[in-house]
Amino acid sequence: MSSHPAVSASNLGFPRIGARRELKRALESFWAGKADAASLHAIASELRAKHWRLQHDAGVTPSSNDFSFYDQVLDMVMITGAVPDRYRALDGDPLRQYFAMARGDQRDGVDLPAMEMTKWFDTNYHYIVPEFDQNTSFRLGSEKPVEEYLEAKALGIETRPVLLGPISFLTLGKMADGGSALTLLDGLLPIYETLLRRLAAAGARWVQIDEPILVLDLSEAHRAAFRTAYDRLAKVGDAPQAVLTTYFGALGDNLDLATSLPVAGLHVDLVRAPEQLDAVLAALPADRVLSAGIIDGRNIWRTDLDTALGTLRTIATARPRSGLIVAPSCSLLHSPVGLDTETALDAELRSWLAFATEKLSEVEALTQALGAGGEAAASAFASSSAAVISRRASTRIHRAEVDARLDAITAESTRRQSPYPTRRSAQRSIGLPTFPTTTIGSFPQTAAVRNARADHKKGTLDTDAYDRFLRDEIERTVRIQETIGLDVLVHGEFERNDMVEYFGERLDGFAFTANGWVQSYGSRCVKPPIIYGDVVRPAPMTVSWSRFAQSLTDRPMKGMLTGPVTILQWSFVRDDQPRDVTCRQIALAIRDEVVDLEAAGLRVIQIDEPAIREGLPLRKADWAQYLAWAVDAFRIASSGVRDETQIHTHMCYSEFNDIVDAVASMDADVVSIETSRSKMELLDAFARFAYPNEIGPGVYDIHSPRVPPEAEMVTLLRRAAEVIPADRLWVNPDCGLKTRGWPEVERALTAMVAAARTLRAEQAAASN
Ligand code: GLN
Ligand code: ZN
């Protein structure tokens, strides 16, 4: 095998939070005033140095400027001087200004809310949304990319600085008047020109320019903006060579655009979109470097190195004289740091995984194998193929009974016994008034609740005592709901740490890491469960708590479950079968739970699907296929019950206007849905699309401690009643109450019940 002339290895970004979440701790003690800026900076530079060394030692060119105190998009706001006016009062203290934008600031007479935050493409990472208006003017507000490049260089490490590209930066932001931020491009480009010049002057030979929006559906205006921007940046005299970096999907119809821009290299995601390789090879001019994103930056599975090497050889053969970079598919920000701190997993399972650190070793092994090979590469390949074989053959993964059940799914399994109108009559037996009131499930997770759970986990509170504690909490919560006068009660979810983890811990096929943290936003991290095998429910998961809660009251108690799509979406999902298959397996497990809850006497069962919207593919053309299997999974989970049993679902965190028809096709009897933050904008969608079943548009925002007055909720309900028939309207908050305190919850729910009664009285008066 002849070796390829110019193969190198580069990273696209390393997790910045630290293997032991050191950055989280440092940030939180700084915010609490317990540590000063100097110690925050010291910990940050220690982490950067550690991560650069680790990447460098792995033989991979590290990124720089991938570090952030909060978010890389917010960093770009600082770098380009696009700080919204209301934070300008803090110009003299840039660190305080930065955190004010990130999380608000209410100190010494300052009262600034945080900027808006939203999901980074289809990941669980959230970025701060830049705010622009026609008057936004840019200036070089910070030289962070140059400073961090030099910081690494002083350690003897050559890095490749990463910049969020101008078109993605503008597009991910929001223009105050709703117009296009691309009109600001002319003013923005000089900042990039200056940065490129300064990076070159500092010695940087390469720069990574991220333009992830190239995998989205783009308008002609976006395409034109790309040409303008990159033509101009190419004219910067002594700039570093740029690798235009795309990830999370295929370039698709933007491929010709991407390959024609005057940049030195192009990075493509060959994990999410392996099918684009041939097209990329055909379109990319030979003088460009191809950066092949071949190691999965978004999931935790070890790479099959032989297969990956095959792909890289295909590239090397097709482009014998062109530069080739071996790289992860995207920034490793979305992976946990390393397996060495992983104490919770058994050796077999662990041998199937690769976190960020191990992924870099995979990049290195592939790079070496493409070149001269060598012993280290050989041993990496040997253990990779051992892991592939062990995973394929493991008896823990495949369970014949699960296959059989999946095969046995028919159209019948996705359909309730009767259509909604028939079920509605059958459900009159539940005995609910018009404008029935309920909550979304959780009640305040007080310090006492959290402590009891932690003590039980540690073993200092025995199971009997813990169960007694939970039963008391449930009973108290039931009495409070009865006193307030709610119609459908809940048990409060005090036994749950997290709405996915709780179920994952009770299902076969799931594993939990000790330290598999991934940044969600700012200092917040999540530790997603790992779905490694066929999903089986060995025993009921929630039935005893729900049965107990129902035994305390004559009012209907609502059984509370997390739906299959949400469990899938918030986990690391196995990569050896399509996601929809895994989702159906979870759906069957939830279906069994639903049937058992019904048998235990629960007449109302809620299956939460808050994540259904965020699972939508990045390209509109792929939506229908996703929605078909996601809706199907929900229907499998919910269809095992009699007509008399009322199925609820709940959704939040996003706007549902563009998927209302899919929501309707889930065919839940009742959907409760977040609307209050958007002042019921959702109702416009229901004015256009007649939602066929019952619906509870959230009438108050649980994200703030504010207690909404009754009159405000009455107004919202009257508006809702204009587009939704009054006899199909429910009255509920817009999400669970676990982050709130009891006093405000009792007052708010009392007002909410009063609002429902007011509407009932109005209706009675009108029909007299
Ligand atoms: N039932 C859950 C709760 O009330 C729903 C949480 C959610 O929608 N994210 O907390
Ligand atoms: Zn919710």
Side-chain angles (χ1 to χ4, degrees):
M1 165 81 204
S2 69
S3 66
H4 194 266
V7 182
S8 60
S10 280
N11 194 12
L12 267 59
F14 195 80
R16 50 223 182 194
I17 204 77
R20 304 209 171 263
R21 289 182 293 161
E22 295 88 335
L23 182 59
K24 173 192 176 70
R25 296 216 173 81
L27 284 168
E28 289 172 3
S29 52
F30 175 71
W31 293 336
K34 290 186 207 135
D36 59 9
S39 61
L40 176 62
H41 281 295
I43 290 170
S45 67
E46 252 171 60
L47 277 172
R48 285 193 295 264
K50 185 173 162 196
H51 297 158
W52 282 325
R53 285 209 184 90
L54 188 152
Q55 297 170 73
H56 182 71
D57 292 349
V60 178
T61 303
S63 317
S64 53
N65 196 41
D66 55 340
F67 178 84
S68 178
F69 275 132
Y70 204 93
D71 164 47
Q72 71 273 10
V73 182
L74 182 59
D75 292 349
M76 223 49 216
V77 170
M78 289 299 271
I79 291 166
T80 60
V83 174
D85 285 341
R86 62 182 184 283
Y87 302 99
R88 278 282 150 85
L90 299 176
D91 270 350
D93 186 346
L95 193 60
R96 182 170 173 192
Q97 181 178 55
Y98 178 84
F99 288 131
M101 291 189 284
R103 48 198 301 278
D105 191 320
Q106 284 90 19
R107 280 178 298 153
D108 350 300
V110 171
D111 186 8
L112 290 166
M115 286 167 73
E116 192 184 323
M117 184 167 76
T118 196
K119 268 175 187 285
W120 178 246
F121 298 83
D122 58 357
T123 72
N124 241 325
Y125 176 82
H126 301 72
Y127 72 93
I128 301 288
V129 182
E131 283 174 35
F132 305 119
D133 60 47
Q134 293 301 342
N135 301 319
T136 298
S137 64
F138 299 99
R139 66 187 171 90
L140 188 59
S142 142
E143 293 201 44
K144 177 178 180 289
V146 183
E147 288 157 10
E148 289 183 11
Y149 171 79
L150 288 171
E151 188 181 322
K153 196 172 176 172
L155 298 170
I157 298 175
E158 179 63 26
T159 59
R160 189 174 72 177
V162 46
L163 300 175
L164 177 59
I167 312 301
S168 292
F169 177 57
L170 290 175
T171 305
L172 294 171
K174 246 191 188 164
M175 200 67 167
D177 61 4
S180 166
L182 293 177
T183 53
L184 303 174
L185 184 61
D186 265 353
L188 175 63
L189 286 175
I191 311 304
Y192 280 82
E193 290 167 341
T194 307
L195 265 178
L196 290 176
R197 256 185 235 114
R198 297 210 179 157
L199 283 170
R205 293 187 295 271
W206 285 91
V207 60
Q208 168 189 333
I209 304 188
D210 283 6
E211 289 285 12
I213 67 159
L214 281 167
V215 308
L216 305 182
D217 298 318
L218 294 182
S219 67
E220 210 30 68
H222 279 93
R223 298 211 174 97
F226 265 106
R227 287 185 204 105
T228 308
Y230 285 86
D231 281 347
R232 254 180 79 177
L233 296 182
K235 294 202 178 89
V236 177
D238 29 42
Q241 312 235 69
V243 177
L244 182 70
T245 301
T246 68
Y247 38 81
F248 302 153
L251 282 160
D253 57 351
N254 300 319
L255 176 65
D256 287 343
L257 170 68
T259 54
S260 66
L261 295 174
V263 286
L266 176 68
H267 174 88
V268 294
D269 186 335
L270 296 176
V271 174
R272 267 293 185 85
E275 73 284 358
Q276 69 175 336
L277 179 59
D278 289 345
V280 170
L281 290 178
L284 189 66
D287 64 348
R288 309 293 161 82
V289 173
L290 177 58
S291 171
I294 194 81
I295 302 292
D296 194 348
R298 294 271 302 264
N299 211 336
I300 41 65
W301 303 104
R302 199 166 179 158
T303 305
D304 178 345
L305 290 180
D306 288 316
T307 307
L309 183 61
T311 305
L312 293 171
R313 286 208 170 118
T314 305
I315 298 172
T317 309
R319 300 168 53 83
R321 266 167 292 281
S322 309
L324 171 59
I325 300 175
V326 182
S329 58
C330 60
S331 167
L332 298 178
L333 177 65
H334 312 288
S335 296
V337 177
L339 277 168
D340 57 339
T341 53
E342 205 38 69
T343 47
L345 299 170
D346 63 84
E348 184 186 32
L349 193 51
R350 205 168 173 279
S351 77
W352 300 340
L353 306 180
F355 292 176
T357 307
E358 293 75 32
K359 288 174 191 297
L360 292 172
S361 309
E362 295 182 328
V363 169
E364 182 194 28
L366 287 168
T367 312
Q368 286 185 0
L370 268 181
E375 238 167 80
S379 102
F381 272 72
S383 64
S384 161
S385 65
V388 169
I389 291 166
S390 129
R391 204 176 148 201
R392 234 175 250 153
S394 171
T395 50
R396 298 163 70 181
I397 293 183
H398 300 285
R399 311 244 315 231
E401 79 265 31
V402 176
D403 272 351
R405 275 197 81 184
L406 284 185
D407 287 345
I409 294 175
T410 58
E412 212 107 285
S413 346
T414 66
R415 244 188 331 232
R416 296 285 300 272
Q417 287 171 354
S418 311
Y420 170 73
T422 312
R423 304 198 304 264
R424 180 177 166 80
S425 317
Q427 288 162 21
R428 295 237 160 79
S429 61
I430 302 170
L432 294 171
T434 48
F435 303 103
T437 54
T438 190
T439 62
I440 306 306
S442 58
F443 269 93
Q445 291 256 333
T446 56
V449 171
R450 288 195 307 268
N451 291 341
R453 191 163 52 234
D455 291 346
H456 179 239
K457 208 169 174 183
K458 269 187 289 180
T460 52
L461 183 67
D462 67 42
T463 299
D464 280 352
Y466 180 52
D467 284 359
R468 239 177 294 123
F469 170 85
L470 290 174
R471 276 200 296 272
D472 288 349
E473 286 294 307
I474 291 172
E475 173 142 26
R476 210 167 53 81
T477 304
V478 167
R479 296 302 162 234
I480 291 172
Q481 294 173 85
E482 286 177 337
T483 307
I484 292 173
L486 287 152
D487 300 306
V488 174
L489 311 194
V490 297
H491 74 287
E493 300 180 27
F494 304 108
E495 76 287 9
R496 303 186 191 175
N497 33 3
D498 170 279
M499 64 184 296
V500 170
E501 194 173 321
Y502 181 83
F503 290 92
E505 281 173 344
R506 283 158 184 78
L507 291 168
D508 291 351
F510 284 73
F512 292 84
T513 62
N515 286 297
W517 296 101
V518 177
Q519 194 175 10
S520 171
Y521 63 90
S523 63
R524 291 276 215 121
C525 299
V526 292
K527 196 155 64 72
I530 296 173
I531 306 178
Y532 68 88
D534 286 349
V535 177
V536 169
R537 185 195 72 142
M541 305 181 282
T542 64
V543 174
S544 63
W545 294 120
S546 287
R547 183 194 288 121
F548 169 70
Q550 181 66 85
S551 76
L552 299 171
T553 179
D554 294 333
R555 302 190 186 206
M557 175 63 54
K558 189 156 64 164
M560 298 300 314
L561 304 172
T562 302
V565 183
T566 298
I567 292 179
L568 184 86
Q569 198 60 33
W570 291 348
S571 300
F572 284 122
V573 180
R574 53 193 286 197
D575 61 352
D576 59 348
Q577 68 184 17
R579 286 172 77 84
D580 62 302
V581 175
T582 306
C583 194
R584 264 197 300 283
Q585 294 185 354
I586 305 169
L588 287 170
I590 301 295
R591 178 184 177 98
D592 294 346
E593 187 74 12
V594 170
V595 169
D596 284 350
L597 282 170
E598 177 184 66
L602 280 293
R603 289 168 289 172
V604 182
I605 299 166
Q606 179 170 310
I607 308 170
D608 291 326
E609 284 290 21
I612 202 156
R613 170 75 173 74
E614 71 186 51
L616 274 183
L618 294 171
R619 295 275 197 164
K620 262 221 159 95
D622 302 326
W623 282 21
Q625 199 206 353
Y626 160 78
L627 286 169
W629 64 253
V631 167
D632 234 40
F634 180 86
R635 293 175 61 125
I636 290 169
S638 58
S639 294
V641 290
R642 292 176 294 133
D643 287 347
E644 289 74 10
T645 300
Q646 189 171 63
I647 297 287
H648 289 220
T649 188
H650 165 70
M651 287 168 204
C652 54
Y653 297 133
S654 15
E655 289 166 13
F656 292 92
N657 301 31
D658 46 5
I659 61 161
V660 277
D661 47 348
V663 173
S665 64
M666 290 162 72
D667 198 28
D669 297 301
V670 183
V671 55
S672 64
I673 198 158
E674 174 178 317
T675 43
S676 60
R677 264 195 294 190
S678 55
K679 302 253 173 333
M680 294 222 171
E681 263 169 38
L682 181 80
L683 295 177
D684 302 342
F686 287 107
R688 289 190 301 271
F689 173 90
Y691 185 75
N693 304 0
E694 289 157 59
I695 180 163
V699 289
Y700 87 83
D701 180 7
I702 60 89
H703 302 88
S704 117
R706 177 172 174 271
V707 174
E710 179 200 331
E712 192 176 303
M713 293 186 271
V714 167
T715 308
L716 286 175
L717 284 166
R718 284 194 192 123
R719 280 189 51 201
E722 284 165 20
V723 290
I724 298 163
D727 61 353
R728 286 199 257 126
L729 256 184
W730 282 67
V731 180
N732 47 259
D734 71 4
C735 196
L737 300 164
K738 67 174 163 212
T739 57
R740 300 268 61 91
W742 271 108
E744 77 222 30
V745 160
E746 293 196 47
R747 283 167 54 215
L749 292 178
T750 302
M752 187 186 87
V753 168
R757 289 182 179 147
T758 300
L759 267 102
R760 279 173 211 152
E762 283 178 5
Q763 197 187 45
S767 58
N768 274 336

